[in-house]
Amino acid sequence: MKILVPFFAVIALVLLAVIGTAANLHFLFGAVIPYAALFIFIFGVIYRVLKWAKSPVPFCIPTTCGQQKSLPWIKQNKLENPSGTLHVIGRMALEVLTFRSLFRNIKGELRDGSKFVYGSDKWLWLGGIAFHYAFLIVLLRHIRLFAEPTPAYLYILEAFDGFLQIGIPRLFATGVVLLAAAAFLFLRRIYVPQVRYISLAADYFPLFLIMGIAATGIIMRYFFKTDIVGVKELAMGLVGFNPVIPKSVGSIFYVHLLLVSALFAYFPFSKLMHMGGVFLSPTRNMVANSREFRHVNPWNYPVKVHTYEEYEEDFREKMKMAEIPVEKE
Amino acid sequence: MYNGGKILIGIIVFLLFAAFPFYNNIGKVSAKPEPKLNTPVIQQLAEKKCVEPKDFMKAEHMQMLNDWRDSAIREGKRTYINSEGKPFYISLQNTCMNCHSNKKEFCDKCHTYAAVKPYCWTCHIEPKEKRS
């Protein structure tokens, strides 16, 4: 169920685009839905981030696994135990760009029936980093459809991406890596029993969606070629707020576009928000200076206290009579 | 809101990336490319037809050129029979470019628009044309 429902949801989206183009709803699928999706994406992401920013961080909870700043002759581990903003920036950069905490992933398993051993497990990190970087480059390559004249750096990017010169149009390595990595991450969810147990429909849906996007993109480029000039005309119309619907663009393009729109619109409501969330994780972005400074819980309110001085003030005479020593006569 | 300044910087960076295609195109006008077919050789043709039908050529010309290269260079076969059974001599410079002698006004029009850099001209010599 958890796999089939999102699978058929993606199939339904594909069929919806096919039926929509057959019913001549090109303007709806080529302009209205993409605009709406982008609107939801941008404002949804900002809304989520602002909502997160409203929650206070009650405790100083950076995770550390290195020597804290201490006496001058003890070497501090600045990345694992940051004591300043610069250290935190370095730590965050490595986290965001190289998925450092995922690299530390370990796996426990029973050996010989009774021995429980831990070992390094880099497959998730490898699949994750391949997936994210391939997706980033694929996304950047699409700028060629949104910028006229195409910026020069995109030619360099494409030259590297297609340097294998396999076939015509040249095979882009990132397209293959993206699809393969997404397929790997999907198979991992199915084949590893523990991961399968904790996987929800919300985990499978983005994977199916992205696999669908990559597959339709690859089909359009290498197999049933779509009219790329028409596609750019449409894209340029969209970014210029002057949408045009070229007749030469086939329905496979609208399937691709609807899946992308679905991904964008779904983004702010889903786990994909880890794009913004990674920057807001307190275990990574806080300075480990709990011994230097007191971290005050922001939602602390002033508490009414009755100090000993006030207590003595109230009961001094009675205390003296009972021969209890007082601080002030 | 906590850490308002940092959150604001983050949101601005996000907007700069997300809205890039929109502000990048402000004030720019782009027209759909119109490849020109008015070379002297094409104008003298009795029947203005390419090797294969136009729609096929538009979508598959790169694949066809690739197949032609393999057939001519690797197998030594220099004859192509099209879907109507007509034979053609397999050669980019003597067959294709004979009619489409206007690379700048024909090939480059769409290729530049769609940011495609074909590697035909790493081996073949580009036709020398006057810049128009």
Side-chain angles (χ1 to χ4, degrees), chain B residues 14-32:
Chain B
F14 166 71
L15 281 176
L16 282 179
F17 278 105
F20 168 76
F22 293 101
Y23 63 77
N24 184 46
N25 275 296
I26 290 174
K28 286 181 192 169
V29 186
S30 74
K32 187 190 170 193

Side-chain angles (χ1 to χ4, degrees), chain B residues 46-88:
Chain B
E47 203 185 10
K48 290 189 178 58
K49 252 182 169 179
C50 196
V51 175
E52 296 281 359
K54 187 187 163 192
D55 286 338
F56 177 87
M57 290 310 293
K58 202 173 162 188
E60 302 289 343
H61 65 277
M62 60 301 254
Q63 186 62 51
M64 184 185 228
L65 288 170
N66 205 39
D67 293 343
W68 275 27
R69 180 199 62 189
D70 290 355
S71 146
I73 307 299
R74 299 190 184 159
E75 292 155 33
K77 278 192 258 170
R78 281 279 185 180
T79 314
Y80 175 78
I81 311 289
N82 78 355
S83 51
E84 291 173 358
K86 250 170 98 182
F88 284 91

Side-chain angles (χ1 to χ4, degrees), chain A residues 18-38:
Chain A
V18 172
I19 294 167
T21 44
N24 252 332
L25 294 170
H26 291 85
F27 191 77
L28 177 66
F29 284 88
V32 178
I33 291 177
Y35 274 136
L38 194 68

